[in-house]
Amino acid sequence: MIGPTDQLFDVVMATAVDGVIVIDERGGIKAYNPACEKLFGYAPGEVLGRNVSMLVPAPQRSEHDGHISQYRNTGEKHIIGLSREVNGQRKDLSTFPMYLSVGEGQLDGARIFVGIIHDLTALRAETAQHGEASSLLAQIVRYSDDAILSKTIDGTITSWNAAAERIFGYSAKEAVGKHISILIPDRLLAEEAEILAKLHAGEEIRHYETVRRRRNGEEIFVSLSVAPIKDGDGHIVGASKTVRDFSEKRRAEIRTRELQDQLAHVARLTEMGQMSAAIAHEMNQPLSAIMNYVRAAQRLLASDPMPRQIQTARDAMAKAATQTGRAGTIIRHLREFMEKRSIQQSPEDINAVIEEAVGLALVGTAQLKIRVRLDMDPQLPKLRINKVQIQQVMVNLVRNSIDAMAGVERRELSLRTERLGPDQARIIVRDSGPGLSPEIFSNLFQPFVTSKLEGMGIGLNICRSIVEAHGGRIRALPGNGSGATFEILLPVPPTPEDGENDAAS
Amino acid sequence: MTGGKGRLVYVLDDDEAVRDSLCFLLTSHGIACEAFGSPPEFLGGFDPARAGCLVLDLHMPWLSGLEVLEKLRSRGVTMPVIVVSGRRNSASDAALLEAGALIVLNKPVDVGELLALIRAAMDAVP
């Protein structure tokens, strides 16, 4: 080797990040660069002239010698011109993974082999970590309580965890390769198309509550979360799906709602029953007496009455009149009693009262997917109300709306508050139900008028008593065949602020 | 004519206007009657020999209509009893009929129906 070529060789050897080793055809090390020193821990003096097998760990060492002699004898290449992953052995006898490529050349009429060694230690560590991470993920998936599955974009199931087996009753073997529609009740098949459309648009679906079908046909309430799976180029190639079995929770929710309904019904019945029994009993006596007196007088005056009979008839009529007075007194006491009940009023933030009431009324209605729009006027001053009673009114109206919307596709409930002039606040409750029939509309606030089969029809009547006891008004607004709208007007109490404003203007 | 046998219609009701008006009505129809305001008064004061019929209010203090009826029957008094009630239910109706009431009527009663029943009851008494 001469001049600049030598120098270039030296610089290349010294600069190379990867290890470079040159051996002769017997394996004797002829060159060994600084990168190799770092890799193997040997100084050049310790390896030059010695056999390269010293850098190969014991298990492969004999093989290595074999490869060299085999190549020398038969020309059969094991590694020449190729690259492969092998292990190297350091001076301290520890081993490390390396990527070895070997080229063949001629020097001074003899064959030489040039090996380039790339250290794989860091890469391996990374891969190992990655492997651990993915096995951790695999375990999380395996032990998840939620079904986790993946599907291709056309809906073919590609993975299926243990929870999916438990929840849906199909084993992984049965499910993988099948179409996702095996899990979907026929009437909800359109839903899958919607989900796919959303996925195509790159949207995720979070906690979508719906119904799915088990292998045995049983339907279960589930909450779905679906996320698109993208390939390296960002194309959506499938979807991962998490399915939570809500049946237990839903059953509990349904039960709660049933109990609530029953309670509300009992409460209505009791209030109504007590009231009506009291009214019936109290009113029955004077009415019976009036009836008897009047019929007696009629009888006495029927034909040619004697003066004594006329006098008796007069007495009977006078007594009947007294009894009508008695009936009137009963009604007055009843009204006083009702009004006394509602006397406790305090300044309340009507918006908060309504929001709370709506929250109460919506309990257990998640499966109806009602869209609620609250449009509350934050400028509204506090109103003097009995919070419990106004909440009763709101809960009643909202529950009526929810019941009314049970049979329609689009369920929207909107509530609005606003100031209406200086001394009134207005609350609007609107639903997207079928609206009020004209015959219901005209009798709406009468007791016992209801469109519900099991209802007592007393709710709105009580609502009206409450609102009127607050000095307000409640009425149904004529809808144009689309939903029912109720309007409640409540008085805004005069405040010192208003006084100042009035004085200023 | 029912009144001709010298029998009385007894009216037992704790509401003064109701019993007074009923007597007014019966008298106007030529039916002799006597009214009592409480079960003890009635049980101690009625004359079994003149008992034509009893119009009995179901809800009274001290003794219910049913108890009055049972006491009458236990004493061997067989006069027809017409029960009037503002709060009927099938259980109480059954108990009353079991105890030997002729009929249970809603309050307020239909006057024509009551009179017809009283007449029929008085005629049936041997």
Side-chain angles (χ1 to χ4, degrees):
Chain A
M1 282 188 269
I2 32 162
T5 316
D6 256 356
Q7 274 175 23
L8 180 60
F9 175 76
D10 288 345
V11 172
V12 168
M13 289 292 273
T15 317
V17 176
D18 283 349
V20 181
I21 289 182
V22 182
I23 57 171
D24 60 27
E25 58 181 352
R26 288 187 178 74
I29 297 171
K30 295 181 72 71
Y32 177 88
N33 76 339
C36 281
E37 288 185 50
K38 274 191 204 148
L39 276 173
F40 292 100
Y42 290 107
E46 293 175 285
V47 295
L48 285 173
R50 297 185 57 188
N51 195 284
V52 74
S53 63
M54 67 182 289
L55 303 177
V56 179
Q60 289 108 48
R61 193 172 296 155
S62 51
E63 257 179 81
H64 184 258
D65 292 342
H67 292 323
I68 295 179
S69 57
Q70 191 180 17
Y71 177 64
R72 211 173 40 228
N73 299 335
T74 66
E76 189 188 321
K77 293 177 186 174
H78 180 70
I79 189 173
I80 316 299
L82 298 169
S83 313
R84 57 188 302 202
E85 280 184 40
V86 295
N87 284 326
Q89 183 177 278
R90 298 191 190 93
K91 186 178 176 182
D92 64 7
L93 302 183
S94 66
T95 63
F96 66 96
M98 60 188 208
Y99 193 77
L100 174 68
S101 54
V102 181
E104 183 184 343
Q106 293 279 330
L107 182 68
D108 300 336
R111 261 202 293 236
I112 57 163
F113 302 100
V114 178
I116 309 285
I117 297 160
H118 181 77
D119 185 9
L120 292 177
T121 310
L123 188 67
R124 278 283 165 76
E126 217 172 88
T127 317
Q129 234 175 13
H130 189 69
E132 256 172 51
S134 57
S135 91
L136 183 68
L137 284 178
Q139 285 197 29
I140 290 171
V141 170
R142 182 186 306 159
Y143 295 113
S144 164
D145 271 344
D146 294 343
I148 298 175
L149 50 121
S150 59
K151 60 180 182 183
T152 61
I153 198 71
D154 63 9
T156 306
I157 296 167
T158 47
S159 75
W160 190 258
N161 75 340
E165 294 192 6
R166 198 174 58 243
I167 290 173
F168 291 109
Y170 292 97
S171 70
K173 220 165 123 188
E174 291 168 319
V176 171
K178 294 267 175 34
H179 194 264
I180 193 78
S181 59
I182 58 169
L183 309 179
I184 304 173
D186 295 342
R187 65 178 191 285
L188 294 177
L189 281 172
E191 207 179 82
E192 182 64 12
E194 270 177 51
I195 291 175
L196 286 176
K198 281 194 179 170
L199 281 178
H200 272 296
E203 277 179 59
E204 281 188 21
I205 289 143
R206 296 210 158 270
H207 310 303
Y208 180 77
E209 289 182 21
T210 183
V211 175
R212 286 293 178 260
R213 187 170 57 190
R214 308 190 71 221
R215 187 184 188 190
N216 62 10
E218 183 192 343
E219 292 194 351
I220 49 174
F221 288 105
V222 296
S223 163
L224 295 182
S225 293
V226 190
I229 297 173
K230 296 178 181 170
D231 66 10
D233 299 329
H235 296 122
I236 295 163
V237 293
S240 69
K241 220 168 189 174
T242 314
V243 185
R244 174 160 295 179
D245 182 1
F246 254 31
S247 300
E248 275 309 314
K249 194 185 161 213
R250 177 64 78 234
R251 267 196 280 277
E253 227 176 85
I254 288 172
R255 185 76 195 120
T256 308
R257 167 129 196 230
E258 279 173 2
L259 284 173
Q260 266 179 349
D261 282 354
Q262 280 172 14
L263 270 177
H265 200 67
V266 166
R268 282 177 177 187
L269 280 176
T270 329
E271 184 163 358
M272 160 68 190
Q274 282 173 349
M275 203 61 97
S276 61
I279 295 169
H281 185 72
E282 287 303 312
M283 293 299 289
N284 248 330
Q285 312 291 27
L287 286 177
S288 296
I290 291 164
M291 171 82 85
N292 293 338
Y293 284 131
V294 171
R295 291 280 187 227
Q298 270 184 323
R299 169 76 184 179
L300 289 165
L301 301 174
S303 54
D304 267 344
M306 310 279 286
R308 197 178 52 84
Q309 285 175 308
I310 294 174
Q311 187 52 47
T312 312
R314 269 199 200 113
D315 291 348
M317 295 311 286
K319 288 183 171 186
T322 307
Q323 290 304 306
T324 57
R326 177 184 173 191
T329 307
I330 291 166
I331 303 277
R332 201 173 58 246
H333 284 163
L334 195 69
R335 179 165 292 166
E336 280 167 7
F337 170 74
M338 299 278 281
E339 281 166 4
K340 236 176 243 154
R341 265 195 344 164
S342 63
I343 241 159
Q344 291 211 327
Q345 297 177 347
S346 52
E348 300 281 354
D349 173 0
I350 188 72
N351 293 339
V353 169
I354 291 173
E355 279 173 40
E356 207 174 298
V358 171
L360 286 172
L362 286 171
V363 168
T365 65
Q367 81 277 15
L368 289 174
K369 300 202 180 17
I370 296 164
R371 273 190 51 196
V372 179
R373 273 192 16 221
L374 296 178
D375 182 7
M376 302 289 172
D377 178 1
Q379 305 295 323
L380 222 49
K382 289 192 169 180
L383 304 183
R384 278 198 71 80
I385 56 169
N386 180 297
K387 183 181 165 185
V388 171
Q389 286 191 327
I390 293 298
Q391 285 197 330
Q392 283 175 328
V393 171
M394 297 310 300
V395 167
N396 225 306
L397 289 180
V398 171
R399 294 302 296 216
N400 280 348
S401 286
I402 292 170
D403 290 346
M405 290 189 291
V408 298
E409 198 100 329
R410 191 177 60 92
R411 303 190 183 102
E412 268 185 32
L413 176 69
S414 78
L415 289 107
R416 193 157 54 128
T417 58
E418 62 194 0
R419 184 91 178 240
L420 203 70
D423 51 5
Q424 272 190 320
R426 172 153 74 173
I427 304 165
I428 299 273
V429 182
R430 179 172 294 152
D431 66 52
S432 62
L436 303 161
S437 73
E439 122 206 16
I440 290 277
F441 190 83
S442 53
N443 296 314
L444 205 53
F445 293 97
Q446 301 300 314
F448 313 115
V449 171
T450 179
S451 59
K452 286 182 260 176
L453 287 175
E454 291 172 22
M456 289 295 296
I458 194 151
L460 285 176
N461 186 41
I462 288 176
C463 285
R464 190 175 67 171
S465 316
I466 291 173
V467 171
E468 288 179 355
H470 280 79
R473 279 190 298 147
I474 179 170
R475 58 175 182 154
L477 298 179
N480 304 320
S482 59
T485 305
F486 284 87
E487 178 195 67
I488 298 169
L489 299 177
L490 288 173
V492 173
T495 64
E497 261 174 85
D498 282 346
E500 280 165 33
N501 288 345
D502 287 348
S505 60
Chain B
M1 186 71 203
T2 43
K5 291 180 186 174
R7 289 212 181 90
L8 289 173
V9 172
Y10 288 108
V11 174
L12 176 51
D13 197 306
D14 63 329
D15 190 290
E16 192 197 337
V18 172
R19 64 176 186 265
D20 181 57
S21 64
L22 190 52
C23 278
F24 239 96
L25 179 71
L26 295 175
T27 310
S28 76
H29 282 268
I31 301 169
C33 77
E34 192 176 343
F36 292 91
S38 76
E41 283 176 70
F42 168 71
L43 290 169
F46 85 99
D47 177 2
R50 299 191 66 200
C53 173
L54 171 65
V55 180
L56 174 63
D57 180 32
L58 186 58
H59 303 283
M60 286 176 296
W62 297 305
L63 279 180
S64 75
L66 178 61
E67 287 167 306
V68 173
L69 182 57
E70 283 166 346
K71 281 209 188 309
L72 281 180
R73 296 301 184 230
S74 70
R75 285 194 209 170
V77 179
T78 57
M79 74 171 147
V81 175
I82 296 168
V83 179
V84 176
S85 168
R87 279 174 280 178
R88 288 175 65 185
N89 63 58
S90 52
S92 67
D93 279 13
L96 287 162
L97 296 174
E98 176 85 5
L102 179 68
I103 194 167
V104 185
L105 296 177
N106 280 322
K107 205 179 199 179
V109 291
D110 179 274
V111 171
E113 187 186 14
L114 180 64
L115 287 170
L117 278 165
I118 288 172
R119 288 206 176 97
M122 302 269 281
D123 286 343
V125 174

